[in-house]
Amino acid sequence: DPKIIQKPKYLVAVTGSEKILICEQYLGHNAMYWYRQSAKKPLEFMFSYSYQKLMDNQTASSRFQPQSSKKNHLDLQITALKPDDSATYFCASSQGLGTSQNTLYFGAGTRLSVL
Amino acid sequence: GQQVQQSPASLVLQEGENAELQCNFSSTATRLQWFYQRPGGSLVSLLSNPSGTKHTGRLTSTTVTKERRGSLHISSSQITDSGTYLCAMEYNAGAKLTFGGGTRLTVRP
């Protein structure tokens, strides 16, 4: 059974719309992350959270807003969608923040296509 | 900025052959990690190796930090090893990983 659940698996949106990507982890982890993988770029870090607090934000655009309603949830709201936002968005988690002492676990991803 | 380069971009092997994947990074990192990305897209952590050599099963990771390079050796490749292998660097013991573009491995019967 997958321990990190991402919903939906596939998402098609029109330019200018807003979508929320859902992520829940059932590993009891305290740190959660979002990464993005597009056809043209390697997997890239977006955000890290620890105990529901934002620890690092490497996303230049404020159109991307993570939301953590519970310790095991980290959703990603994307507003004013653009075709360049098309990518697979991966949620990940680890026991503690950082991977020096912790293994990073990934969800299966949400593939977003913006038309 | 920090960059991670992987080579080769793709590799085709016959079952049973060994694979050698390379990773070069642009600045001194605290830790090199290897991930496997399944054809369906999900990622699995394989090895975390700050320096030296580390083994797990048929995988051997070697990291030479001073030379800013690492490698992943897969012995006796199997068809199920097919997929993309990603090298990732952690800098300054932070949470952010910087990934390379990956090596796509295809193992044929």
Side-chain angles (χ1 to χ4, degrees):
Chain A
D1 291 334
K3 300 299 184 184
I4 301 180
I5 307 224
Q6 288 191 244
K7 293 184 285 190
K9 189 172 178 62
Y10 301 100
L11 188 56
V12 179
V14 296
T15 297
S17 67
E18 172 183 316
K19 293 294 180 186
I20 295 179
L21 282 56
I22 306 295
C23 177
E24 305 170 81
Q25 55 91 2
Y26 296 94
L27 293 164
H29 288 169
N30 300 310
M32 297 185 71
Y33 314 82
W34 278 102
Y35 281 80
R36 172 173 55 192
Q37 187 176 43
S38 66
K40 298 179 180 179
K41 293 182 181 180
L43 193 64
E44 55 182 347
F45 174 93
M46 299 179 72
F47 301 98
S48 63
Y49 266 66
S50 178
Y51 292 95
Q52 294 186 263
K53 291 185 179 179
L54 178 65
M55 302 305 292
D56 194 2
N57 177 359
Q58 295 290 324
T59 304
S61 173
S62 60
R63 296 186 298 107
F64 295 85
Q65 291 293 327
Q67 300 170 345
S68 181
S69 58
K70 300 178 185 179
K71 193 180 88 169
N72 69 326
H73 281 234
L74 186 63
D75 300 336
L76 181 63
Q77 180 185 40
I78 314 174
T79 58
L81 279 161
K82 303 177 180 180
D84 274 353
D85 297 332
S86 297
T88 300
Y89 291 80
F90 288 99
C91 176
S93 71
S94 59
Q95 182 61 50
L97 187 68
T99 56
S100 294
Q101 302 293 330
N102 306 288
T103 299
L104 193 62
Y105 294 84
F106 282 85
T110 291
R111 184 174 293 180
L112 172 66
S113 297
V114 183
L115 306 176
Chain B
Q2 297 148 352
Q3 293 184 350
V4 181
Q5 300 290 335
Q6 289 188 246
S7 62
S10 63
L11 184 60
V12 180
L13 298 175
Q14 293 297 123
E15 193 174 15
E17 291 183 328
N18 299 331
E20 189 82 15
L21 283 57
Q22 304 295 333
C23 179
N24 292 278
F25 40 99
S26 61
S27 56
T28 302
T30 57
R31 184 171 294 265
L32 181 152
Q33 301 191 38
W34 289 94
F35 290 83
Y36 168 69
Q37 186 167 26
R38 298 186 177 99
S42 61
L43 290 96
V44 176
S45 176
L46 294 175
L47 281 165
S48 179
N49 185 11
S51 65
T53 300
K54 196 170 182 179
H55 304 275
T56 181
R58 294 181 293 109
L59 304 178
T60 300
S61 168
T62 301
T63 303
V64 186
T65 306
K66 289 184 180 179
E67 295 180 14
R68 299 181 184 175
R69 62 178 177 85
S71 66
L72 180 68
H73 181 87
I74 306 173
S75 62
S76 303
S77 62
Q78 300 175 359
I79 294 171
T80 52
D81 293 335
S82 297
T84 300
Y85 290 80
L86 300 173
C87 167
M89 307 306 302
E90 180 180 9
Y91 294 92
N92 302 318
K96 172 189 171 185
L97 290 179
T98 301
F99 282 83
T103 293
R104 181 173 292 181
L105 175 65
T106 303
V107 181
R108 293 181 174 162

